Amino acid sequence: MILTWLDPSSRAEVYRFYRQFMPYARLTKKELIAVGYQLTTHRKPSMASDTIAAAVRLRPIGPYQLLTGMLVHPDYRQQGLGHSLMQAIDQSLQTKPSFLFSLPELTHFYAQHGFVEHGVMPAEITQLYQGYLNQGKQLVLMRYELQTLTKS
């Protein structure tokens, strides 16, 4: 898988990808979008011939960012692409305080990549999180902490 950060003007294919597999997702031009391509040959990714295997978005919220819309194509699940994607964006997560709203069954996955559930959360993030809870969504608020990463 080759990770590419998309320019805001060249996102048509990733919009289709999200519409097909995560139709409730609302992409914005302010978001950073990383796409992992499953290459058909060993060369630079080409949107015309390579398959989007995974994508993730980093949404700016004031001085923070929210990891959102992490999606692996159904044909490529259970192959470690989610872990590869998280490793590939690790440096971007370190640029500013990063958060995510995890499904309860995925908290262990995100914990493996430096996200924790405890601690002080900023008001901007907490307010957005509370809005999702008020809609009846079952989500867990997590914060990225570089120092919690332990590689063995």
Side-chain angles (χ1 to χ4, degrees), residues 24 26 57 59 61 66 68 101 125-140:
Y24 55 86
R26 300 291 175 252
R57 300 172 2 240
R59 175 181 165 192
I61 300 176
L66 183 68
T68 186
F101 306 147
I125 300 295
T126 304
Q127 184 178 17
L128 186 60
Y129 174 69
Q130 192 61 50
Y132 283 111
L133 294 182
N134 291 343
Q135 295 172 21
K137 296 183 179 178
Q138 300 285 321
L139 298 170
V140 177

Side-chain angles (χ1 to χ4, degrees), residues 76-131:
Y76 297 104
R77 291 181 183 161
Q78 302 301 315
Q79 297 178 29
L81 292 184
H83 290 289
S84 295
L85 189 60
M86 291 299 294
Q87 291 168 356
I89 68 165
D90 184 68
Q91 192 170 17
S92 296
L93 293 173
Q94 296 176 38
T95 61
K96 47 171 94 168
S98 300
F99 301 86
L100 64 81
F101 306 147
S102 174
L103 294 170
E105 62 270 20
L106 293 177
T107 57
H108 178 72
F109 169 82
Y110 290 115
Q112 292 176 55
H113 296 283
F115 282 89
V116 296
E117 296 179 46
H118 58 79
V120 177
M121 304 293 181
E124 295 96 320
I125 300 295
T126 304
Q127 184 178 17
L128 186 60
Y129 174 69
Q130 192 61 50

Side-chain angles (χ1 to χ4, degrees), residues 2-60:
I2 300 292
L3 185 78
T4 302
W5 289 96
L6 297 181
D7 183 86
S9 64
S10 61
R11 295 180 172 183
E13 186 182 18
V14 78
Y15 283 115
R16 286 190 294 274
F17 177 70
Y18 275 103
R19 191 172 33 233
Q20 183 176 4
F21 299 110
M22 192 184 275
Y24 55 86
R26 300 291 175 252
L27 285 70
T28 69
K29 291 182 180 180
K30 291 181 180 181
E31 294 174 331
L32 297 174
I33 301 177
V35 175
Y37 289 95
Q38 195 66 22
L39 299 181
T40 54
T41 60
H42 297 290
R43 58 179 168 58
K44 187 176 178 187
S46 161
M47 288 191 191
S49 61
D50 296 312
T51 301
I52 293 178
V56 66
R57 300 172 2 240
L58 294 176
R59 175 181 165 192

